[in-house]
């Protein structure tokens, strides 16, 4: 499942990988190995000059801090998050006025936060008001604040209370209801309207040193491909002017355990095939329309029904708590109480608006195909934040999530990132050399070793020469050919340890070992390819080869309708799937059987909707070659996902070859196979994208010049355009012959890679150079 979601989100515009459990897999960790950075001024932003240490007001960062998420753990009842609270993007600059002549008083700083979220959110029987300070966290580890700025109008002085009283509690999510407000607490200032000028280009600023969002998060949405454009020259983010076609991703989690999505959801809440559109909040300004009181003429002498309940007051106010008249100083929308909720004015959720009083609706989403209560960010068409922005004045669920000082129960660590990121090592043979690339952290020093038996190790490279300066990845080329290689983190430059809780990484991160051959129990356990059927795409065919003894249960699926909850459009409505051994049909299916659901779950395959017309079967197979042609039962065309799962890991059989012949288009129609390596040790793979060499087999309309790029998550591991012009051409030819692959034409423009991979999920993108199109064969061969 983890591979599948990455496969789909990679293809359709999002970057991070979601796991089957969205509460765990949605946390963004790809950039956590870098230091947090700040632009001090507009001039610094214009030149791209950022800093990793700083001091202003409450925000002092005397040594660098790693950005964002540090660790995610879980138990049966809780998800635990450690985070620095600092964004992965370059934060800042911040100013206190619209003309940018006055500096904002504070910089952000590492919050060292440990918080927990309920695993099973519950709708609250009695609603809890949102407090000041964090009310949840976005998936980049940055805090969510509500729609207030904690200041309100003071009737006695006929002015808003000023910032001198403070800006709410920093740190983790306080459990208490309501929170405070400096002023009368009746006419509460809207944070976006009153503080928007202090936001940085990511629409965030800090309370004290606590960096946070109140509203639309364009930088985070851009990182997910959620309908936001980025101007690299001005370093600014704007809402895309194109039509939104994909459901927004999960952007965060509230203290009640319900997800926060971006602005776009399914048009019909319980129909994933209804298209997507921008969600309409239930709040409108009190300007006399929609049955509201016109505050422009009536004055701020009454509260809307929701505010009266929130404040435990009468709708009609006494004169000593009247608000100011609407004016250029106190514009309509200056206060939260300038808005009324349509549900209190005779309007109906689901007909007149989408989101309830808490800014929530129950709906299907890509991560919750059976439905969930979810918050949605609300914006205008141009991306301007729209009230109530993220949440109304109440949590919809019971906000049991809170800041804690320590985890007091047994938990399972889901991911450890930031300075303690696990090392992932990839070895690629290049002629007489080996290129090693590993995931690294900024400020780290590494030791590299080799071994002949995986037990006794000797130094390969001086640790001083293997210092990561920018994080993300480090490369090293060596002429030393060995059976095994490993990299160990030996030191970290001085950094801010707040929130690390002893997981510094040094001495705690296990060394990564990898070989230039297949070792240990590593094997292919899942292969999947998104394909098109019908029209120009023709009929795609997948195949695989099993080698070994005995029999093995294999799960084979052709998923069409089951892709719709993931935002895939134009799906194949009714796929039919067969499995052939030579000319003999071994198994076939039109509409999948519920009796196979347990095997799907055990294999890690995402669940199919009961009664859907997806095709799948489980078949006991012996050694041999198999092909899996897919057709459409209704004669239609569309997009489907062809999948093969190893459903019996204890078998003596293993997949040694897998391939798919399909049409390669452009943009979203490129060919993207993916696969999962499971088990200890490493797997050496020959990966080929064959176009021109297919012509000798009578295949027409072949892809003239394929290129292939291998990814792990969003990181490029290796790529090739023309296999015959590479430095390892002779080795690829030799390995191809050894594993039984047909020879590629000499000097052809087919593409090929030789890689050694550790356990994990990988994606290979096959496209045509110059946006060319045609039929290609993508192949995986296990190299002994």
């Amino acid at each position: 499942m983890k591979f599948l979601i990455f496969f789909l989100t990679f293809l359709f515009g999002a970057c991070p990988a979601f796991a089957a459990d969205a509460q765990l897999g949605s946390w963004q960790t790809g950039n956590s190995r870098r230091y947090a950075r700040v632009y001090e001024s507009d001039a610094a932003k214009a030149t791209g000059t950022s800093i990793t240490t700083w001091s202003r007001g409450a925000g002092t960062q005397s040594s660098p801090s790693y950005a964002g998420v540090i660790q995610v753990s879980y138990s049966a009842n809780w998800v635990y998050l450690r985070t620095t609270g600092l964004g992965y993007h370059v934060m800042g600059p911040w100013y206190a006025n619209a003309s940018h002549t006055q500096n904002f008083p504070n910089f952000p700083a590492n919050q060292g936060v440990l918080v927990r979220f309920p695993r099973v959110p519950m709708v609250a029987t009695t609603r809890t008001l949102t407090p000041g300070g964090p009310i949840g966290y976005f998936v980049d580890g940055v805090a969510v604040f509500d729609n207030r700025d904690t200041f309100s109008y003071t009737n006695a002085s006929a002015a808003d209370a000023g910032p001198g009283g403070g800006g709410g509690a920093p740190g983790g999510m306080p459990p208490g209801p309501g929170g405070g407000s400096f002023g009368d607490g009746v006419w509460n200032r809207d944070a976006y309207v009153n503080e928007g000028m202090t936001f940085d280009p990511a629409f965030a600023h800090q309370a004290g040193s606590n960096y946070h969002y109140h509203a639309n998060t364009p930088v985070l949405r851009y990182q997910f491909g959620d309908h936001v454009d980025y101007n690299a020259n001005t370093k600014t983010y704007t809402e895309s002017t194109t039509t939104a076609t994909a459901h927004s991703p999960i952007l965060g989690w509230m203290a009640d355990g319900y997800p926060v999505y971006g602005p776009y959801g399914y048009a019909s809440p319980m129909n994933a095939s209804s298209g997507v559109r921008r969600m309409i909040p239930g709040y409108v300004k009190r300007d006399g329309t929609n049955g509201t009181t016109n505050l422009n003429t009536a004055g701020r002498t009454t509260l809307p029904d929701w505010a009266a309940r929130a404040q435990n007051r009468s709708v009609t106010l006494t004169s000593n708590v009247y608000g100011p008249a609407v004016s250029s100083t106190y514009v309509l929308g200056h206060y939260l109480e300038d808005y009324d909720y349509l549900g209190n004015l005779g309007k109906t959720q689901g007909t007149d608006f989408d989101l309830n009083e808490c800014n929530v609706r129950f709906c299907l989403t890509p991560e919750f195909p059976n439905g969930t209560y979810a918050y949605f960010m609300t914006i205008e068409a141009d991306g301007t934040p729209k009230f109530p922005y993220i949440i109304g004045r109440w949590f919809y669920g019971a906000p049991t999530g809170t800041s804690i000082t320590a985890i007091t129960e047994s938990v399972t660590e889901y991911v450890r990132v930031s300075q303690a990121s696990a090392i992932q090592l990839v070895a690629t043979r290049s002629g007489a050399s080996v290129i090693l690339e590993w995931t690294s952290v900024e400020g780290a020093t590494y030791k590299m070793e080799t071994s002949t038996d995986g037990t006794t190790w000797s130094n390969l490279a001086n640790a001083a020469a293997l210092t990561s300066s920018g994080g993300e990845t480090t490369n090293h080329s060596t002429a030393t050919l060995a059976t095994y290689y490993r990299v160990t983190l030996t030191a970290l430059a001085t950094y801010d340890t707040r929130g690390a809780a002893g997981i510094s990484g040094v001495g705690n991160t296990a060394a990564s070992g990898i070989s230039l051959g297949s070792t240990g129990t590593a094997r292919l356990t899942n292969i999947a390819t998104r394909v098109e059927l019908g029209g120009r795409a023709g009929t795609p065919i997948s195949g695989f080869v099993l080698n070994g003894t005995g029999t093995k249960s294999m799960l084979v699926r052709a998923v069409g309708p089951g892709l719709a909850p993931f935002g895939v459009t134009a799906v194949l409505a009714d796929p039919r799937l067969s499995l052939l051994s030579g000319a003999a049909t071994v198994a076939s299916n039109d509409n999948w059987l519920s009796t196979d659901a347990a095997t799907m779950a055990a294999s890690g395959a995402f669940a199919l909707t009961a009664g859907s017309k997806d095709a799948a079967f489980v078949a006991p197979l012996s050694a041999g070659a198999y092909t899996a042609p897919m057709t459409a039962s209704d004669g239609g065309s569309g997009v489907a996902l062809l999948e093969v799962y190893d459903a019996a890991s204890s078998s003596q059989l293993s997949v040694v070859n897998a391939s798919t012949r399909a049409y390669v288009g452009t943009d979203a129609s490129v060919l993207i196979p993916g696969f999962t390596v499971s088990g200890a040790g490493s797997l050496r793979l020959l990966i080929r994208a064959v176009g021109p060499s297919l012509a000798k087999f009578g295949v027409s309309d072949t892809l003239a010049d394929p290129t292939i790029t291998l990814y792990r998550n969003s990181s490029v591991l290796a790529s090739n355009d023309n296999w015959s012009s590479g430095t390892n051409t002779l080795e690829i030819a030799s390995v191809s012959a050894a594993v039984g692959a047909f020879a590629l034409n000499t000097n052809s423009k087919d593409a090929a890679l030789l890689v050694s991979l550790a356990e994990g999920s990988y994606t290979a993108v096959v496209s045509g150079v110059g946006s060319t199109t045609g039929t290609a064969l993508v192949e995986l061969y296990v190299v002994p």
Side-chain angles (χ1 to χ4, degrees):
M1 177 64 173
K2 184 176 182 180
F3 154 69
L4 171 76
I5 304 298
F6 171 72
F7 170 82
L8 291 170
T9 53
F10 181 96
L11 178 61
F12 293 98
C15 297
F18 288 107
D21 188 336
Q23 286 183 318
L24 302 176
S26 60
W27 296 102
Q28 190 179 20
T29 60
N31 298 312
S32 66
R33 300 186 299 273
R34 295 178 61 86
Y35 292 151
R37 285 171 161 79
V38 159
Y39 288 133
E40 290 185 281
S41 64
D42 285 336
K45 179 167 75 78
T47 60
T49 306
S50 62
I51 54 177
T52 59
T53 59
W54 57 79
S55 180
R56 181 186 293 170
T60 297
Q61 204 61 60
S62 56
S63 58
S65 170
Y66 291 97
V69 175
I70 298 173
Q71 183 186 48
V72 177
S73 303
Y74 65 95
S75 66
N77 297 318
W78 302 102
V79 174
Y80 295 92
L81 169 72
R82 296 185 192 274
T83 177
T84 65
L86 298 173
Y88 294 131
H89 56 280
V90 181
M91 301 171 288
W94 303 271
Y95 291 92
N97 61 341
S99 59
H100 287 199
T101 59
Q102 300 174 17
N103 285 327
F104 191 70
N106 299 314
F107 271 171
N110 181 353
Q111 298 299 294
V113 172
L114 172 60
V115 295
R116 66 182 187 183
F117 300 85
R119 289 281 272 159
V120 182
M122 301 293 292
V123 175
T125 54
T126 301
R127 298 269 154 73
T128 301
L129 290 166
T130 57
I135 58 173
Y137 279 83
F138 286 104
V139 294
D140 59 355
V142 175
V144 186
F145 277 34
D146 70 9
N147 47 24
R148 303 168 300 144
D149 70 357
T150 71
F151 301 110
S152 61
Y153 186 69
T154 304
N155 182 274
S157 60
D160 287 341
M173 296 180 291
S181 174
F182 299 99
D184 292 341
V186 179
W187 297 94
N188 295 279
R189 297 201 321 179
D190 182 301
Y192 169 70
V193 173
N194 289 275
E195 297 183 333
M197 70 180 68
T198 71
F199 293 174
D200 65 9
F203 282 23
H205 66 174
Q206 34 281 347
S209 63
N210 194 346
Y211 190 66
H212 63 272
Y213 297 105
H214 287 279
N216 183 26
T217 58
V219 63
L220 185 58
R221 292 178 53 217
Y222 173 77
Q223 291 169 351
F224 278 91
D226 186 32
H227 206 60
V228 172
D229 296 327
Y230 175 64
N231 186 319
N233 293 324
T234 61
K235 299 178 179 63
T236 55
Y237 304 84
T238 56
E239 198 71 15
S240 177
T241 57
T242 62
T243 301
T245 58
H247 193 289
S248 287
I250 293 176
L251 298 179
W253 296 88
M254 287 298 190
D256 58 10
Y258 287 119
V260 179
Y261 282 87
Y264 301 96
Y266 295 131
S268 177
M270 301 306 292
N271 182 359
S273 300
S274 62
V276 298
R277 59 175 172 80
R278 183 165 44 90
M279 293 291 95
I280 301 170
Y283 289 86
V284 293
K285 286 183 178 177
R286 300 171 70 192
D287 59 2
T289 63
N290 296 294
T292 63
T293 299
N294 190 346
L295 298 188
N296 293 292
T297 56
R300 292 184 170 104
T301 61
T302 61
L303 291 175
D305 178 81
W306 69 265
R309 286 183 282 111
Q311 298 179 27
N312 195 26
R313 297 177 185 272
S314 170
V315 167
T316 303
L317 297 173
T318 56
S319 60
N320 65 323
V321 287
Y322 282 176
V326 176
S327 65
S328 59
T329 302
Y330 301 102
V331 298
L332 192 63
H334 186 86
Y335 302 109
L336 274 59
E337 292 75 18
D338 288 350
Y339 292 88
D340 215 331
Y341 174 58
L342 289 171
N344 298 140
L345 301 174
K347 305 294 184 179
T348 304
Q349 182 187 4
T351 301
D352 302 303
F353 57 95
D354 296 309
L355 306 172
N356 68 12
E357 198 172 44
C358 299
N359 218 40
V360 162
R361 73 170 182 170
F362 188 85
C363 56
L364 305 184
T365 72
E367 295 75 28
F368 294 94
N370 295 320
T372 183
Y373 288 103
Y375 298 90
F376 283 82
M377 283 185 176
T378 50
I379 61 171
E380 303 286 1
D382 64 357
T384 301
K386 185 179 180 68
F387 189 84
Y389 312 119
I390 300 174
I391 187 173
R393 279 296 282 119
W394 292 274
F395 292 102
Y396 189 70
T400 53
T402 183
S403 173
I404 58 176
T405 57
I407 299 174
T408 58
E409 64 171 332
S410 296
V411 297
T412 300
E413 182 179 75
Y414 176 74
V415 66
R416 179 185 295 192
V417 286
S418 192
Q419 68 277 7
S421 295
I423 298 171
Q424 299 292 338
L425 178 63
V426 176
T428 305
R429 183 78 171 267
S430 180
S433 299
V434 177
I435 298 173
L436 298 119
E437 180 180 77
W438 63 94
T439 53
S440 56
V441 294
E442 190 165 4
T445 303
Y446 296 90
K447 177 176 66 175
M448 181 171 288
E449 301 167 289
T450 60
S451 174
T452 57
D453 57 8
T455 302
T456 303
W457 296 88
S458 59
N459 287 338
L460 171 66
N462 188 319
L466 299 175
T467 299
S468 169
S469 59
E472 304 298 331
T473 59
T474 297
N475 294 278
H476 182 75
S477 179
T478 177
T480 302
L481 300 182
T483 306
Y484 294 91
Y485 298 85
R486 75 176 181 184
V487 171
T488 306
L489 175 63
T490 58
L492 285 169
T494 300
Y495 69 96
D496 184 346
T497 60
R498 284 177 288 185
I503 54 172
S504 68
V506 178
N508 294 333
T509 301
S512 296
I514 195 164
S515 77
L516 289 181
S518 298
T519 64
T521 59
R523 67 191 191 283
L524 286 173
T525 55
N526 170 220
I527 305 99
T529 310
R530 195 218 79 141
V531 296
E532 293 184 44
L533 181 143
R536 64 180 184 179
T539 301
I541 300 177
S542 287
F544 57 93
V545 176
L546 292 175
N547 187 39
T549 59
T551 61
K552 172 184 284 289
S553 289
M554 300 294 292
L555 167 65
V556 186
R557 309 200 308 180
V559 183
L563 297 181
F566 299 98
V568 182
T569 57
V571 298
L572 188 64
D574 191 0
R576 180 178 179 83
L577 184 64
S578 299
L579 186 67
L580 307 179
S581 175
T585 300
V586 176
S588 64
N589 179 262
D590 186 359
N591 301 327
W592 70 284
L593 303 176
S594 59
T595 52
D596 290 333
T599 301
M600 293 182 191
S603 302
F606 65 94
L608 300 177
T609 302
S612 75
K613 293 187 176 182
D614 302 293
F617 52 76
V618 177
L621 304 178
S622 56
Y626 300 87
T627 56
M630 179 183 67
T631 58
S633 291
D634 59 0
S637 61
V639 174
L641 186 69
L642 285 171
E643 300 178 288
V644 177
Y645 287 90
D646 183 338
S649 59
S650 61
S651 171
Q652 297 302 306
L653 283 171
S654 59
V655 178
V656 295
N657 168 225
S659 62
T660 299
R661 190 188 76 181
Y663 176 79
V664 179
T666 60
D667 299 324
S669 295
V670 298
L671 186 61
I672 308 185
F675 58 92
T676 299
V677 176
S678 299
S682 62
L683 204 62
R684 193 181 188 203
L685 293 175
L686 169 66
I687 307 174
R688 307 200 306 183
V690 184
S693 292
L694 292 180
K696 62 186 177 184
F697 298 103
V699 179
S700 59
D701 189 28
T702 60
L703 186 63
D705 190 0
T707 181
I708 186 167
T709 303
L710 181 66
Y711 291 83
R712 182 182 176 115
N713 295 328
S714 57
S715 298
V716 175
L717 300 181
S719 63
N720 177 259
D721 183 3
N722 302 324
W723 81 280
S724 54
S725 61
T727 58
N728 59 346
T729 300
L730 293 178
E731 186 180 15
I732 287 177
S734 174
V735 168
S736 296
V739 297
F742 64 86
L744 300 178
N745 295 341
T746 303
N747 298 322
S748 77
K749 293 188 175 182
D750 304 294
L753 297 170
L754 266 175
V755 293
S756 292
L757 303 174
E759 184 174 34
S761 296
Y762 301 88
T763 305
V765 177
V766 177
S767 60
V769 174
S771 298
T772 52
T773 62
T775 298
L777 177 71
V778 61
E779 302 174 292
L780 299 176
Y781 290 92
V782 175
V783 182

